[in-house]
Amino acid sequence: MNAAYVFRVRFRLDPASGVRTNPRSFETVVEVPADEPGEGDWLFFRNTLWRGEVNDDRYARELAEEWLSLPVESVSFSELRADEAYMEALRTAIAADLTLFNADSTREVLHKYLGSSIRIEDDS
């Protein structure tokens, strides 16, 4: 199984006194490995996203600052990139307890938190 949350992150450099950089801000793509469904922080999508968008900008910037060890200006969610095995395991884990998501179906959960921002990649 293979999956990652993909974000676009704009960060800035804060050089030592007297040192200048141009530009000061840069944008990069950050891929955060997704925990296996039912393991670790597998509910990351529920706690961080809403309809395929970051649901709390401040919290997302704090997370990105931890990931990059740099000051972050903005974060936007791009997609959950996963193989079919991961998606099947995710659907199974979600279906096991829909009350965690206040939803009636797995499809509703995926749409509620990830919107249309899921890309399933070929396993090969």
Side-chain angles (χ1 to χ4, degrees), residues 14-21:
D14 284 332
S17 180
V19 175
R20 294 182 195 190
T21 61

Side-chain angles (χ1 to χ4, degrees), residues 8-63:
R8 291 202 174 281
V9 177
R10 181 169 266 311
F11 65 92
R12 71 178 177 278
L13 299 177
D14 284 332
S17 180
V19 175
R20 294 182 195 190
T21 61
N22 187 17
R24 285 192 65 181
S25 295
F26 300 87
E27 186 170 292
T28 192
V29 174
V30 175
E31 294 184 21
V32 180
D35 285 345
E36 290 190 28
E39 303 292 325
D41 192 21
W42 79 278
L43 293 173
F44 177 84
F45 70 95
R46 183 197 70 178
N47 300 332
T48 310
L49 306 171
W50 183 254
R51 305 263 190 240
E53 301 288 334
V54 169
N55 71 359
D56 182 339
D57 290 328
R58 183 176 180 195
Y59 176 65
R61 285 192 311 272
E62 289 171 2
L63 285 175

Side-chain angles (χ1 to χ4, degrees), residues 58-111:
R58 183 176 180 195
Y59 176 65
R61 285 192 311 272
E62 289 171 2
L63 285 175
E65 286 177 356
E66 289 176 23
W67 301 331
L68 301 175
S69 299
L70 290 165
V72 169
E73 295 178 351
S74 65
V75 178
S76 63
F77 176 68
S78 295
E79 65 188 6
L80 170 62
R81 188 177 304 148
D83 61 22
E84 188 57 55
Y86 183 89
M87 289 306 300
E88 185 58 35
L90 182 60
R91 288 182 193 103
T92 300
I94 290 168
D97 191 358
L98 288 170
T99 60
L100 283 173
F101 308 97
N102 193 27
D104 295 324
S105 70
T106 300
R107 182 182 168 134
E108 179 185 352
V109 171
L110 293 174
H111 181 71

